[in-house]
Amino acid sequence: MRTFALTAAVLLTTLTAATPTHADTTHRGTRWVHNCARPAHTDTAACQALRVVSAATEREGYGPADLLAAYGLPADGGEGTTVAIIDAYDNPNAEADLGVYRAHYGLPACTTDSGCFRKTDQRGGTRIPRADGAWAGETALDLAMVSAIAPRAHLLLVEADSAGIADLGAAVNTAVAMGAKVVSISWGAPENGNAASYDTRYFDHPGVAIAVAAGDGGYGVIFPASSPHVTAVGGTSLRNDSSPRGWAEDVWSTSSTEGTGSGCSTKLTKPKWQADTGCTRRTVADVAAVADPETGVAVYQTYGGSGWYTYGGTSAAAPIIAATYALAGAPAVGSRPASFPYAHPDALNDVVSGSTASCRPAYLCTAGPGYDGPTGLGTPNGVGAFQG
């Protein structure tokens, strides 16, 4: 059994790892850090990745077999679909680290030479942006989670010049133009007056499934998770239990300021498939997957890191859902994949316990039967909820 690099001494390297500016979190003997700093400017995004740096036990993060079992998903799927991962800055070790991850878990190789893996800049070219150790962890996490769920999918990594929404949005448009039918987004920014314009320019892509992290700041919404054109992905705590499913989930919440995002958009319209009455505009989230760092996932990262880590945050949940869309097959031309779960709520695991705050109406921050803000309609139970 491998041992994770769990100490602060091996967490940082002098030039490749950016020091997180968020406060560290310690909970039940496990400590983690936010990979990316809070946005310093309007219209700048932060990644939603949390990396464990010490733990009361050396429990390995969940690997592909765990995740497939927890969510009732088929193994060895995703063939014929291209999943795009959109992140800021370059991870120069992305392909090599992905190779280590996939080989460790017995997944088929996915390389540039085979045509399975491709890395490009936000224009679809080779002007790769500068490297960044903090965002490199996000990239490693995203690639690992898509690989875990849909190992036969092709991977398109589009690296934006910066964490500005305009650059990241341009990368989304490039990914779609290059043929991606599924897009994974694990970053977000505070919703502001530019949200509607950005939404129209970058996130309105019929026939493309775009899965977006709902955020790690607890109750409240971020953009582009608040876009009505995307599938907003909340977060859960996931643990083995003795139920017929073999797994239990509840809302991920560490504190009043850390946990899965949820709530009402103040800027963007409600999609016609949302019927809840607590928000006159868009409600977040739509579905959910594991995000709690205490029940996190295994990732291999050597740029800004030194090997195996456990990661959490809705940055883990979003690529899991993106890959589940890939398992379900490419969406039909002109379809609205964000609506698919609402047509098939019975094909999801309904999460009914846990809360991130006290709010009114309560379902916006507290789980219960049926739809709720933190976990939406629930977590995958097979691929049925992600088919048109």
Side-chain angles (χ1 to χ4, degrees):
M1 181 177 293
R2 55 181 153 73
T3 300
F4 285 99
L6 294 173
T7 66
V10 297
L11 173 66
L12 302 178
T13 57
T14 56
L15 294 178
T16 62
T19 302
T21 60
H22 285 244
D24 294 1
T25 298
T26 301
H27 192 245
R28 296 175 182 170
T30 300
R31 185 167 67 89
W32 55 86
V33 295
H34 291 248
N35 255 47
C36 295
R38 297 183 189 278
H41 305 286
T42 300
D43 297 332
T44 300
C47 69
Q48 303 300 304
L50 303 175
R51 182 165 66 174
V52 172
V53 295
S54 66
T57 64
E58 291 187 0
R59 184 194 71 80
E60 294 186 2
Y62 291 134
D66 301 307
L67 297 171
L68 295 176
Y71 295 126
L73 299 172
D76 208 32
E79 189 168 3
T81 302
T82 296
V83 179
I85 289 88
I86 312 298
D87 283 316
Y89 308 112
D90 181 36
N91 177 346
N93 297 354
E95 183 176 357
D97 287 355
L98 179 65
V100 173
Y101 177 89
R102 292 175 73 110
H104 178 82
Y105 287 112
L107 304 178
C110 185
T111 66
T112 300
D113 289 344
S114 71
C116 174
F117 176 85
R118 183 174 181 182
K119 180 166 76 171
T120 184
D121 65 26
Q122 70 182 52
R123 293 159 293 276
T126 58
R127 293 175 57 189
I128 301 301
R130 68 174 176 84
D132 182 275
W135 277 86
E138 178 63 67
T139 299
L141 169 60
D142 295 343
L143 289 169
M145 290 305 95
V146 175
S147 296
I149 302 299
R152 294 290 178 180
H154 282 202
L155 302 176
L156 174 61
L157 172 60
V158 186
E159 296 181 330
D161 293 347
S162 77
I165 295 296
D167 283 341
L168 288 161
V172 174
N173 287 348
T174 291
V176 175
M178 294 177 70
K181 295 301 181 184
V182 179
V183 176
S184 178
I185 293 174
S186 289
W187 40 263
E191 198 179 55
N192 63 32
N194 294 326
S197 174
Y198 285 145
D199 186 39
T200 300
R201 290 160 60 188
Y202 303 127
F203 303 103
D204 184 2
H205 291 287
V208 178
I210 304 178
V212 181
D216 298 346
Y219 182 56
V221 302
I222 60 173
F223 178 82
S226 62
S227 164
H229 300 112
V230 310
T231 300
V233 185
T236 67
S237 298
L238 174 70
R239 293 180 173 85
N240 294 106
D241 74 354
S242 59
S243 68
R245 178 188 171 195
W247 300 84
E249 288 181 280
D250 54 17
V251 172
W252 166 48
S253 181
T254 305
S255 68
S256 61
T257 58
E258 187 176 275
T260 185
S262 68
C264 304
S265 170
T266 62
K267 306 296 182 183
L268 298 170
T269 59
K270 198 177 196 70
K272 62 183 180 181
W273 45 86
Q274 277 197 324
D276 67 297
T277 59
C279 298
T280 58
R281 294 185 174 89
R282 164 72 154 125
T283 311
V284 174
D286 299 306
V287 294
V290 61
D292 186 346
E294 284 192 291
T295 67
V297 298
V299 176
Y300 188 79
Q301 176 198 356
T302 61
Y303 192 82
S306 58
W308 288 100
Y309 295 92
T310 297
Y311 264 92
T314 52
S315 278
I320 289 172
I321 295 299
T324 304
Y325 272 109
L327 294 180
V333 174
S335 64
R336 292 293 183 179
S339 71
F340 295 173
Y342 290 85
H344 307 285
D346 291 343
L348 293 158
N349 299 304
D350 192 9
V351 180
V352 298
S353 62
S355 178
T356 58
S358 176
C359 66
R360 297 182 64 184
Y363 80 89
L364 293 175
C365 59
T366 300
Y371 179 83
D372 58 70
T375 65
L377 295 162
T379 64
N381 184 13
V383 301
F386 302 91
Q387 297 172 323

